[in-house]
Each structure stands twice: as C-alpha cells, then as structure tokens.
Amino acid sequence: LVQPCEPIGTPMIAPRHRRRLLFVGLLCSLHVWCSLTSFAVLPEGEDSAVDSLRPALKVIAGLLLVIAVVILWSSVVVVHQGEVVLVERFGCFHSRLDPGLRFVTPFICSVRWRGSVREQVLDIPPQGCITSDNAPLKADAVVYWRVTDPIKHVYE
C-alpha cells in the first residue's frame, strides 16, 4: 500500500479550510480589482493627479482579474464517469478522485494519472502457425482487462 508523504515543515491544512482559504483569496482579488477599476474610472479633470495613473491602474486591474481566473481554472478537475484521477501533492500520492466535479489546491496538487476503470478489449490479430504434424493453424485471441486498483497500477 502506498503511504502519502508528509510535506517537510508545513502543517497539513484540512480540506474545508483549504477551500475557505481559496475562496477568501478569490474574494480579496475581486475586491482589489473592483477597487482599482472604480479608482480607474474616476471623472477626468484638468488638475487630477489620477489622470496620469489611469492607464497603469487599468492594466493592473486586468492582470489581477486574469490571475484570479487562472487560479480558479487550475483548481477545477472534472472526472468523467468510468474514470479515476490520482492526485499528487509535491510529488507524493495524495488522493484518488472519483467521478464528478472535484477541486484541488492549485499549484500544489497535480494530476498524476487519469485513466479508465472500465473493462477494455485488446484484440490480437490472427497468427498463422504450423503444428508438429504439419497442419496449418490460425490462432486468434481477445483479451478483456480492466484496472481494479489504480494506485497499485501507477505506483507498483
């Protein structure tokens, strides 16, 4: 059985707290973006000191929005029916994700293996051979197989 490795020097964060931290981070990014865009759309005036900063603030607000979308996009994993996903955290086995919409910690967790646990068919083409009494023979085979334990399949 594969044992997950513990990160060195970092405490483990419970999954519900991890989701909360991600949500709080996204809310902070959204708040900063709204603040910068509201500051960037101030009425223009002749003596306004903001006029020189307006283009830079729009660029910063756009970059923050793009970063928030990338972080959100990288945390979502869709596992289709009949598939299993193995997740690694810092290069060590962390969890097995079953079908559904799942969330992982972005930039820390990575998908190691995505595979099917359905029965698969391997058709071996017919092969001709001659028996010891010189009779011609054609051998054909069909192999049905499926992965029953994905963790052993990948790590052992």
Side-chain angles (χ1 to χ4, degrees):
L1 186 65
V2 177
Q3 296 293 329
C5 64
E6 294 293 326
I8 299 172
T10 9
M12 296 294 286
I13 300 172
R16 62 171 195 235
H17 297 305
R18 215 177 305 129
R19 283 189 218 111
R20 242 183 243 153
L21 286 174
L22 178 65
F23 183 69
V24 168
L26 289 175
L27 280 180
C28 289
S29 299
L30 184 64
H31 176 69
V32 168
W33 179 75
C34 289
S35 299
L36 288 176
T37 54
S38 66
F39 186 62
V41 292
L42 288 174
E44 294 183 18
E46 295 179 14
D47 297 336
S48 176
V50 178
D51 286 341
S52 61
L53 294 176
R54 191 175 308 273
L57 291 176
K58 287 182 181 180
V59 169
I60 291 172
L63 286 175
L64 287 176
L65 180 66
V66 167
I67 289 171
V69 168
V70 166
I71 288 173
L72 183 65
W73 187 264
S74 66
S75 68
V76 175
V77 176
V78 178
V79 184
H80 299 289
Q81 182 178 355
E83 284 187 349
V84 172
V85 171
L86 297 181
V87 176
E88 287 185 346
R89 176 176 285 170
F90 298 119
C92 295
F93 173 74
H94 174 63
S95 64
R96 167 187 167 162
L97 302 180
D98 291 322
L101 182 66
R102 306 289 179 209
F103 296 96
V104 296
T105 308
F107 310 115
I108 295 174
C109 293
S110 62
V111 173
R112 164 74 157 91
W113 181 78
R114 177 187 295 261
S116 175
V117 291
R118 292 178 281 204
E119 191 173 85
Q120 298 181 17
V121 178
L122 177 64
D123 187 20
I124 300 172
Q127 299 178 8
C129 59
I130 298 176
T131 61
S132 59
D133 58 348
N134 289 332
L137 179 71
K138 282 199 170 187
D140 188 15
V142 177
V143 178
Y144 294 93
W145 64 280
R146 73 183 185 113
V147 176
T148 56
D149 190 358
I151 297 169
K152 285 184 180 177
H153 172 72
V154 173
Y155 292 102
E156 291 181 5

